[in-house]
Amino acid sequence: IQGEAGVREHVRRAASQPAHRGMLSTAVGIVREEGPLKLWQGATPAIYRHIVYSGGRMLLYEQLRESVLGRSKDGGSFPVWKAAVGGLVSGALGQFLASPTDLVKVQMQMEGKRKLEGQPPRVRGVHHAFIKIASEGGLRALWAGWAPNVQRAALVNLGDLTTYDSVKHFLLRNATLQDNCLCHGLASTCSGLVAATMGTPADVVKTRIMNQPWDSNGKGLLYKSSVDCLVQTVKIEGFLSLYKGFLPTWLRMVQF
């Protein structure tokens, strides 16, 4: 959200925007200005999100793999393209179910920035955030930003699954590596890179949509839609602004 185009257009005060910070300087700034525990701000809704998202995704993927995509009963080979389709669909549906928890997480994580800017707190905790959002905009408001959120999940799952499997088998066939932690780590690093490259633009749009202020009718004050957010971001900040936060996103996706 650094240098966010919609905010500059809304308040017309570009000079008030904070200086650009990278990943490490952002972390140091949070610790110095808000305290080290604030690095875990939004951890509770993040856990809720993973329970809903991962649980829903795994259940849906199993059902798709066995009942729709037709994996052989003897546990034989499963084509990569079928795994990619199953991962894309199950990831998208799982993320749709978990979108309200993502919305609360984003708003809680932005509280530190609002405090430093002298703005009043928007939410006091997880349950207050859910109640406040639903009471002000109805249950529909809990799914604000769901479209780029679902797109991000679908792209991340597609890039992650296909790349991980392809890289792992390539290494086993063409290198002296064994099927061990090193091989899995290299495959995960590559799959995380592809997934982050595919998903970060949707992640930027999703975060900005979820973080924007809303009027009494539940309409965003900064962006009319995800497409409007995308257009404003690229037009005012440039194409590379869609990859803000790419490095921490990639590191988060790498699992050894």
Side-chain angles (χ1 to χ4, degrees):
I1 62 170
Q2 288 187 123
E4 188 173 356
V7 173
R8 296 211 301 261
E9 289 295 295
H10 184 64
V11 301
R12 302 289 181 180
R13 289 185 305 174
S16 66
Q17 296 297 307
H20 174 75
R21 285 177 169 177
M23 182 182 71
L24 294 179
S25 57
T26 297
V28 171
I30 291 173
V31 172
R32 181 185 298 120
E33 296 160 4
E34 305 175 52
L37 290 181
K38 290 300 181 179
L39 290 171
W40 279 266
Q41 179 83 347
T44 300
I47 293 173
Y48 291 167
R49 183 253 182 193
H50 275 289
I51 291 173
V52 177
Y53 170 66
S54 297
R57 180 185 63 167
M58 299 295 267
L59 177 62
L60 290 167
Y61 181 74
E62 291 284 337
Q63 293 299 316
L64 286 171
R65 187 182 64 184
E66 304 297 332
S67 304
V68 180
L69 297 173
R71 190 182 72 163
S72 58
K73 299 297 183 181
D74 58 1
S77 61
F78 192 57
V80 174
W81 73 267
K82 286 189 175 183
V85 171
L88 189 150
V89 174
S90 60
L93 292 175
Q95 184 58 73
F96 178 78
L97 295 175
S99 196
T101 59
D102 245 340
L103 175 63
V104 171
K105 182 190 72 171
V106 167
Q107 293 201 1
M108 288 184 65
Q109 289 177 334
M110 294 303 107
E111 283 304 296
K113 179 177 181 289
R114 290 174 59 84
K115 183 178 179 180
L116 292 175
E117 292 175 346
Q119 301 183 51
R122 185 165 47 185
V123 296
R124 296 193 301 269
V126 180
H127 299 101
H128 175 255
F130 277 114
I131 294 172
K132 182 174 182 292
I133 294 169
S135 63
E136 292 180 353
L139 291 178
R140 181 180 178 182
L142 290 169
W143 271 267
W146 70 268
N149 212 7
V150 167
Q151 292 166 4
R152 173 196 172 277
L155 291 170
V156 165
N157 275 274
L158 177 62
D160 191 21
L161 282 172
T162 54
T163 306
Y164 180 86
D165 195 58
S166 300
V167 170
K168 187 178 79 170
H169 284 90
F170 176 83
L171 292 173
L172 291 175
R173 288 194 308 267
N174 299 282
T176 58
L177 293 175
Q178 300 297 317
D179 191 358
N180 53 26
C181 291
L182 178 58
C183 179
H184 296 172
L186 291 173
S188 180
T189 301
C190 293
S191 66
L193 176 61
V194 173
T197 301
M198 296 176 68
T200 298
D203 206 1
V204 170
V205 173
K206 176 263 295 186
T207 301
R208 294 183 174 195
I209 290 290
M210 288 182 168
N211 185 55
Q212 71 172 333
W214 305 83
D215 64 15
S216 57
N217 296 318
K219 294 183 178 180
L221 297 178
L222 304 184
Y223 310 107
K224 298 177 182 178
S225 63
S226 300
V227 174
D228 181 45
C229 178
L230 177 67
V231 171
Q232 284 197 50
T233 300
V234 174
K235 182 179 179 180
I236 300 174
E237 302 174 57
F239 176 78
L240 290 181
S241 64
L242 294 175
Y243 285 89
K244 289 182 176 181
F246 173 81
L247 183 56
T249 298
W250 178 22
L251 294 176
R252 183 182 67 186
M253 292 179 178
V254 175
Q255 300 175 1
F256 289 91

